[in-house]
Amino acid sequence: MRHSPFRSVVGLCLIVTLAACQRAAPPPPAPDGYDESAGADARRIESDLRFLADDLLEGREAGTRGYDLAALYVAERLRAIGLRPAGDDGRYFQRVPLLRAKRVDGGGSLVIHRDGAATALKFREQFLPQLNFDRGDARVSAAAVFVGQAVRAPELQQDDFAGVDLRGKIAVLFHGAPPRFDTDRHAFYSSFREKFAALVERGAIGAVIVSTDDEEKRQPWARGAENWARPGMRLRDADGRALDTFPQLQVIAQVSAASAGALLDAGGHTAAALFRDAREGKLRSFALPGTIELSAQTRIEPAESRNVVAVLPGTDAALKREHVLFSAHLDHIGIGAPVQGDAIYNGALDNALGVAIMLEAAQQLARSKTPPKRSLLFVAVTAEEKGLLGAEWYARHPTVPRDSLVANVNMDMPVLLVPTRDVVPIGVEHSSLQAVLDRAADEVGVSLSPDPSPQESVFIRSDQFAFIRAGVPAVYLTGGVKARQSGVDAGKHQRDFLSERYHQPGDDATQPIQYGDAARLARLNARIGQSIADAPQRPRWNAGDFFGERFGGLDARASSRGAAATR
Ligand SMILES: [Zn+2]
């Protein structure tokens, strides 16, 4: 296990006596501990992480010089490993066109007109307009309808729009989905992409998302509001317009749980009762009295970033036309509100570590004694933190034939802070990749544990979801929950990370990152990649799977071709 030089100085103090030590004036703690016992693989991962998570890269936000430096580093590492460029025009980079939007300070309003009175909520403290990528100056005024969580799932007999007319109205909604939904549908129907699409379909012209008190226990309003000035991004089309936005919703605003009453305490309803109904899955829609007036001012400008793409060509004459796609997002969230004097959000676990693990898996596969039959693509994607944008762009504009993508192996934020015996796979139960993973875990000697917090919906919150929506089965592995040392609660370390350092400046390289476990994760990912690459059949969605049925048409068509190629 790693130990820091600082601790050995303290140890020395106890032996030599405190006074002697004070005279010796020990040097300040050196953060560059060197672990003599680390394996070469663990050391490579540590080295990559220390570079990518350094303050000099300023948090690797998409569209910044810090990110571009990180991308250059990853490209040259892939070259050194012996992988060929597979981006645009024979380069290691794929251009990703973006729009960047920033809120104007105080640039927005939310006024409730009811019973002859006007109530204006305060920008930042009580509400924030969502970034608007379609119009720099947007406003809308209309009657409002509370639509619960804006979920319509006929297969589960859920219709939050029953009995209300949204045409020309502003929808007021909560996040999430009914608690009775299974994990997959809960995750899917919780996404704002689905909710906004449903609102547009029903003719809404604006939306107000109200935070519930349960949500703010996990993500306090103040924490989000203090980063109100942070830019957001969307993909940009050839005409310079934003992709995947909902321009019919002229303004979308968010309201804090503490201010929910101003909107919802009306007509016999109260915000507190509605929060309780949400928890119990009993929300009902109703028209709100009066009208709501919304406005938002946004600065919108073009930006650009890049995915890093490299390929290890397969060795089988037929199968090498197909590709296993490894992905890990290289961006993080950049510079933000200072916390204890530190404004650089380094993103060490999120996701310098995932990229470092992907590079190590690439190294092992490039040196494999039995070179993989299918080709392996390694894509370090940009702008995950802005909404899976780099992965989405790659899924829409793959640099290899679209139906040659047989599977995605994604790595994002493995929380490896105490030595563990296990790994948590996310989303493998949807496809034949479950069997691949079981075998690989056995070979590597690691156990598999179920997702300890399925309610976090991580399956749809990282890059694999962009590929799943393109019909490609995916596997995503994250850190384990069973500590190797008895009496240590690995789950608690994960939860502490999530509440104290996740998306905070404290997610940096000074954390006790377990590089040995990271090396094991790299071996496991490499085994999975090799196994998918060498199998006669490409992976398949399980029959009747929710995501497979919704998105997997491509897979169904292509698997017959894959089978033909092996004959
Ligand atoms: Zn993140």
Side-chain angles (χ1 to χ4, degrees):
M1 204 188 303
R2 299 173 63 245
H3 63 274
S4 74
F6 176 63
R7 229 176 284 150
S8 51
V9 170
V10 173
L12 196 65
C13 286
L14 295 176
I15 298 162
V16 179
T17 79
L18 192 61
C21 228
Q22 276 165 344
R23 272 199 305 275
D32 294 338
Y34 185 83
D35 181 358
E36 297 286 349
S37 68
D41 48 1
R43 207 185 305 287
R44 279 190 292 269
I45 291 171
E46 177 171 359
S47 158
D48 288 337
L49 179 129
R50 283 179 179 275
F51 181 84
L52 294 172
D54 195 273
D55 277 357
L56 285 170
L57 271 62
E58 298 182 335
R60 306 185 308 280
E61 185 177 17
T64 66
R65 175 179 154 85
Y67 176 87
D68 289 346
L69 287 168
L72 176 62
Y73 176 81
V74 170
E76 294 309 328
R77 283 278 287 116
L78 289 164
R79 182 200 302 274
I81 291 167
L83 269 55
R84 296 185 193 170
D88 298 332
D89 311 319
R91 304 184 68 218
Y92 281 104
F93 302 116
Q94 179 189 40
R95 202 180 139 256
V96 179
L98 298 163
L99 282 179
R100 180 191 288 119
K102 255 186 193 173
R103 291 185 184 90
V104 173
D105 193 2
S109 58
L110 193 163
V111 185
I112 304 151
H113 297 274
R114 205 173 272 170
D115 305 327
T119 312
L121 298 191
K122 289 198 193 77
F123 184 89
R124 249 175 101 176
E125 278 136 80
Q126 297 184 296
F127 89 100
L128 276 172
Q130 276 203 349
L131 291 167
N132 191 319
F133 294 86
D134 303 305
R135 290 173 209 90
D137 192 357
R139 53 193 66 237
V140 65
S141 175
V145 178
F146 178 72
V147 292
Q149 290 161 321
V151 171
R152 186 175 170 271
E155 76 275 27
L156 295 169
Q157 293 82 48
Q158 182 75 28
D159 185 1
D160 286 352
F161 303 102
V164 291
D165 181 6
L166 259 185
R167 274 170 302 176
K169 310 255 173 70
I170 292 171
V172 177
L173 64 147
F174 290 163
H175 183 218
R180 68 186 172 90
F181 280 24
D182 61 81
T183 309
D184 299 334
R185 285 174 181 80
H186 195 276
F188 180 76
Y189 288 109
S190 291
S191 83
F192 280 113
R193 179 195 294 263
E194 294 308 314
K195 293 184 194 303
F196 293 157
L199 297 183
V200 165
E201 206 176 293
R202 280 154 193 83
I205 56 170
V208 179
I209 303 156
V210 180
S211 294
T212 63
D213 46 4
D214 280 356
E215 267 158 35
E216 290 195 14
K217 270 176 218 148
R218 291 200 300 274
Q219 174 71 24
W221 175 265
R223 192 183 285 177
E226 74 190 2
N227 281 306
W228 67 274
R230 192 171 263 166
M233 288 179 167
R234 287 291 180 276
L235 293 173
R236 168 165 52 92
D237 71 10
D239 300 322
R241 284 189 304 252
L243 285 166
D244 303 321
T245 58
F246 299 88
Q248 183 183 306
L249 302 173
Q250 319 262 343
V251 181
I252 302 172
Q254 287 165 269
V255 168
S256 73
S259 308
L263 268 170
L264 297 172
D265 291 355
H269 299 275
T270 65
L274 291 168
F275 291 167
R276 199 178 52 237
D277 288 350
R279 211 171 296 138
E280 294 168 1
K282 292 184 191 156
L283 286 172
R284 292 283 173 277
S285 300
F286 57 91
L288 285 156
T291 58
I292 299 179
E293 194 187 322
L294 301 170
S295 74
Q297 281 85 54
T298 316
R299 248 192 302 279
I300 309 166
E301 60 185 21
E304 195 168 300
S305 190
R306 45 178 60 175
N307 291 328
V308 186
V309 194
V311 67
L312 178 66
T315 52
D316 181 276
L319 292 178
K320 73 177 182 190
R321 286 196 292 269
E322 298 186 336
H323 297 83
V324 181
L325 191 161
F326 284 83
S327 59
H329 77 86
L330 179 57
D331 68 303
H332 191 59
I333 55 179
I335 296 175
V339 176
Q340 291 165 3
D342 183 3
I344 299 177
Y345 291 60
N346 307 77
L349 298 186
D350 182 16
N351 183 34
L353 186 54
V355 172
I357 289 171
M358 179 173 80
L359 289 172
E360 179 56 26
Q363 157 114 8
Q364 291 178 15
L365 287 159
R367 310 270 181 285
S368 171
K369 286 192 203 84
T370 52
K373 293 180 179 171
R374 286 189 176 82
S375 297
L376 304 177
L377 270 177
F378 294 86
V379 190
V381 290
T382 187
E384 187 269 356
E385 303 287 6
K386 310 294 186 193
L388 320 185
L389 301 182
E392 184 67 39
W393 186 261
Y394 194 85
R396 290 184 196 189
H397 306 277
T399 55
V400 298
R402 190 183 309 263
D403 64 5
S404 79
L405 299 175
V406 304
N408 172 226
V409 182
N410 188 43
M411 276 140 277
D412 189 3
M413 203 174 83
V415 182
L416 303 173
L417 297 173
V418 293
T420 52
R421 293 179 281 122
D422 61 331
V423 156
V424 172
I426 308 285
V428 280
E429 65 278 16
H430 301 287
S431 70
S432 58
L433 289 172
Q434 176 81 62
V436 174
L437 175 66
D438 289 345
R439 211 169 38 243
D442 214 42
E443 286 164 6
V444 171
V446 60
S447 65
L448 301 173
S449 299
D451 182 359
S453 39
Q455 72 282 3
E456 292 289 327
S457 311
V458 287
F459 184 55
I460 68 158
R461 280 172 48 195
S462 183
D463 295 304
Q464 74 279 349
F465 197 53
F467 297 110
I468 287 165
R469 280 196 286 109
V472 180
V475 48
Y476 161 34
L477 301 177
T478 184
V481 290
K482 291 183 193 149
R484 231 176 291 160
Q485 221 183 319
S486 65
V488 174
D489 182 352
K492 183 180 181 317
H493 284 267
Q494 287 200 351
R495 290 190 296 278
D496 287 351
F497 168 80
L498 290 174
S499 63
E500 289 158 23
R501 296 188 302 285
Y502 168 67
H503 280 200
Q504 294 290 313
D507 178 14
D508 63 21
T510 65
Q511 297 170 101
I513 298 169
Q514 301 300 308
Y515 295 105
D517 282 11
R520 186 183 62 193
L521 200 47
R523 284 198 295 282
L524 181 57
N525 276 308
R527 275 306 313 154
I528 292 168
Q530 174 103 42
S531 166
I532 301 170
D534 292 346
Q537 302 282 338
R538 54 197 278 168
R540 255 183 255 110
W541 292 98
N542 294 336
D545 181 75
F546 174 66
F547 292 107
E549 288 199 333
R550 201 163 270 262
F551 306 116
L554 174 68
D555 174 63
R557 280 200 308 279
S559 55
S560 54
R561 225 184 345 269
T566 61
R567 251 178 245 135

